[in-house]
């Protein structure tokens, strides 16, 4: 028996090493990913290095942009001045529209059910390397008040939710992940649906959009603001390839995400509603209300 | 042997950091090189079975940590890849850069396809297999380009631990 074991020592060892992760995988596959102590140690070692490399690259890029690539600054300056004048004119128009909107809201006794939100700016330090990992790593963790399930947004729209946290880092599961589903509504018609990830970095799909409602290519889809999900009104993306099948209750459509996930340097973690005292900020680096 | 294993682990950690940071700073969407897969290929082709399989498991574990996929998906695939490549090691040559690239490309395609199948069949909320080939191809291409570099780094590391005549034989 012993000689047999010695003879097949290597195949048996490999079989054991295959059985070990297979067992863990089979048991935990349907569960949410959780970090153990070893995972936290490895992330604590690697994440600061990732942060350092990204910071070094940004310093290099800034140096290039600030000192070397100044050739077209004068021309750009003229262009920006023209844009500024145009923007000022637009801002004035927007201010008038806002004032009118406020008046009408008061008139209709409109109550904003969506209170102001606490949020935290978080720099992105890495991305998931595999084409099947739809993950960003951010340099904010549970010590800064970031917890699993919190929504993460960017100025352009919805990014994803917090999947894992360590003390100072967290992984964000993007909305394009096949495990992601976001309650949504059509900005134009207010029709409700769900935006689901497909695993494709460039598009999601729209589900449960009723065929009796109006859906068109180019319609902007925003978050519906269901309790426990994203705040209401954040852009998710625009509809493409809308088609009504001859049968069935729902339409078929895809959503092009509003956010370019490959070009995110910073994201905003929505920590939750603001407290009564108006303590909106977690620390000096956080931003104010995100609405 | 322990020092060598520790150094290979250190190299794996370094590659795990690189494969997370480079796609981010270069704004790459899909062309993401799987450097740890190339490490597993190298171990399968050059290492002893027991330390090689153990280090492959460690490399897979590091992939799991950066991907937020179901626990041990990549660890399982790493050991599986090690076993399969080890069985076919006599037919696989990685002497030159082009050969390394070819092996890296094919291995990445198969590895990614297997990962996609396993992931989409078991991930919570998934609706079955949605296999998209363009991302797999881009990833395989990036892995192929990176493969000679990874092989070079690991060969240099191994040369420091082998007698001169054996070091020359390391593929």
């Amino acid at each position: 028996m012993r000689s047999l074991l010695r003879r097949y020592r290597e195949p048996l060892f490999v079989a054991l090493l295959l059985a070990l992760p297979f067992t863990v995988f089979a048991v935990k596959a349907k569960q949410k990913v959780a970090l153990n102590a070893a995972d936290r140690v490895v992330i604590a070692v690697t994440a600061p290095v990732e942060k350092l490399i990204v910071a070094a690259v940004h310093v290099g890029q800034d140096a290039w942009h600030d000192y070397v690539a100044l050739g077209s600054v004068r021309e750009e300056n003229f262009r920006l001045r023209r844009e500024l004048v145009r923007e000022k004119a637009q801002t004035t128009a927007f201010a008038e529209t806002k004032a009118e909107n406020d008046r009408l809201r008061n008139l209709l006794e409109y109550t904003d059910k969506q209170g102001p939100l606490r949020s935290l700016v978080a720099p992105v330090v890495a991305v998931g390397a595999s084409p099947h990992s739809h993950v960003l790593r951010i340099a904010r963790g549970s010590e800064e008040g970031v917890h699993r399930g919190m929504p993460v947004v960017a100025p352009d729209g919805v990014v994803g939710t917090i999947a894992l946290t360590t003390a100072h880092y967290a992984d964000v599961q993007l909305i394009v992940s096949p495990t992601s589903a976001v309650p949504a509504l059509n900005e134009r018609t207010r029709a409700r649906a769900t935006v689901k990830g497909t695993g494709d970095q460039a598009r999601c799909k729209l589900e449960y959009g009723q065929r009796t409602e109006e859906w068109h290519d180019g319609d902007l889809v925003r978050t519906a603001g269901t309790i426990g999900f994203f705040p209401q009104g954040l852009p998710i993306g625009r509809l493409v390839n809308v088609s009504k099948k001859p049968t069935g209750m729902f339409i078929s459509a895809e959503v092009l995400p509003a956010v370019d996930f490959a070009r995110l340097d910073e994201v905003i973690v929505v920590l939750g509603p603001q407290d009564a005292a108006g303590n909106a900020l977690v620390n000096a680096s956080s931003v104010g209300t995100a609405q | 042997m322990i020092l060598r294993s520790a150094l290979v682990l250190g190299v794996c950690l370094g590659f795990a950091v690189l494969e997370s940071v480079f796609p981010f700073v270069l704004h790459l969407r899909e062309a993401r090189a799987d450097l740890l897969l190339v490490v597993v290929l190298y171990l399968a082709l050059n290492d002893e079975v027991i330390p090689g399989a153990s280090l492959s498991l460690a490399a897979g574990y590091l992939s799991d940590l950066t991907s937020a996929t179901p626990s041990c998906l990549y660890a399982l695939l790493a050991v599986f890849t090690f076993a399969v490549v080890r069985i076919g090691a006599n037919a696989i040559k990685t002497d030159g850069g082009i050969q390394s690239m070819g092996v890296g490309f094919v291995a990445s395609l198969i590895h990614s396809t297997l990962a996609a199948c396993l992931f989409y069949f078991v991930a919570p909320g998934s609706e079955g297999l949605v296999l998209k080939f363009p991302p797999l191809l881009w990833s395989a291409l990036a892995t192929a380009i990176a493969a000679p570099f990874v092989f070079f780094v690991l060969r240099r590391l191994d040369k420091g631990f082998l007698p001169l005549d054996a070091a020359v034989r390391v593929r």
Side-chain angles (χ1 to χ4, degrees), chain A residues 257-288:
Chain A
V259 176
D260 183 353
F261 303 110
R263 292 184 179 275
L264 283 174
D265 289 332
E266 285 172 330
V267 293
I268 299 165
V269 183
V270 180
L271 300 173
Q274 202 172 43
D275 62 17
N279 296 326
L281 307 181
V282 168
N283 61 27
S285 59
S286 56
V287 295

Side-chain angles (χ1 to χ4, degrees), chain A residues 13 17 25 33 38-39 42 46 50 124 127-130 132-133 135 137 178-179 196 199-200 205 207 260 262 264, chain B residues 13 19-20 24 27 29 32 49-50 53-54 61 65-69 71-72 74 112 116 119-120 124-125 127 132 136:
Chain A
F13 185 80
L17 283 193
F25 178 71
V33 182
D39 300 340
V42 175
T46 55
E50 292 169 344
V124 179
V127 296
S130 156
H132 307 292
S133 67
V135 176
R137 179 162 294 161
T179 58
K196 281 208 72 175
D200 187 339
K205 66 179 171 183
E207 287 194 339
D260 183 353
L264 283 174
Chain B
L13 267 177
E19 70 178 15
S20 298
F24 171 57
H27 303 303
R29 258 208 204 100
R32 298 176 179 183
V49 171
I50 291 178
S54 309
Y61 163 74
L65 263 190
T66 59
S67 57
T69 46
S71 298
C72 286
Y74 285 107
S112 294
F119 181 74
Y120 288 113
E127 298 181 328
K132 297 199 180 295
L136 301 190

